[in-house]
Amino acid sequence: MEWTDVLGIVAGICTTASVIPQIRKAWKTKEVDDVSPGMFATLMLGVGLWVIYGITQDDLPIIVTNGASLALNSFMLYLMLRYRKKKK
């Protein structure tokens, strides 16, 4: 394994883990009104496209890290839809 492979894997792990604090906060407080669903939807589109790209390139680290990121961001979007307060 070359250093660039390690660099890519570490970058993927950091990117994937970046949403965990937001998920944790939303789960505990059930407050999501300040979180942008548009941002998460766009991010999910991007990581979904990365998964497709990884498949076309047969690049397992890209597939795995972006697949995990897609799952975590999907869960965050679910929390946002579940806990969002209705506007009156």
Side-chain angles (χ1 to χ4, degrees):
M1 184 179 288
E2 295 187 29
W3 74 270
T4 54
D5 295 325
V6 173
L7 179 66
I9 291 168
V10 171
I13 290 169
C14 290
T15 303
T16 300
S18 68
V19 74
I20 293 173
Q22 189 68 58
I23 290 172
R24 193 184 264 149
K25 180 180 179 187
W27 183 273
K28 288 173 90 175
T29 66
K30 297 180 179 29
E31 301 262 340
V32 296
D33 290 332
D34 291 336
V35 181
S36 169
M39 188 278 298
F40 273 94
T42 305
L43 181 59
M44 289 170 53
L45 174 62
V47 295
L49 292 172
W50 271 112
V51 170
I52 294 168
Y53 173 78
I55 292 168
T56 65
Q57 300 301 305
D58 197 31
D59 191 323
L60 194 58
I62 289 177
I63 297 166
V64 171
T65 57
N66 285 286
S69 183
L70 184 60
L72 287 170
N73 284 296
S74 295
F75 183 64
M76 183 60 209
L77 191 59
Y78 162 76
L79 291 176
M80 290 166 56
L81 295 172
R82 180 175 177 190
Y83 296 136
R84 187 156 300 269
K85 293 178 183 148
K86 305 257 192 259
K87 302 283 184 198
K88 292 183 181 183

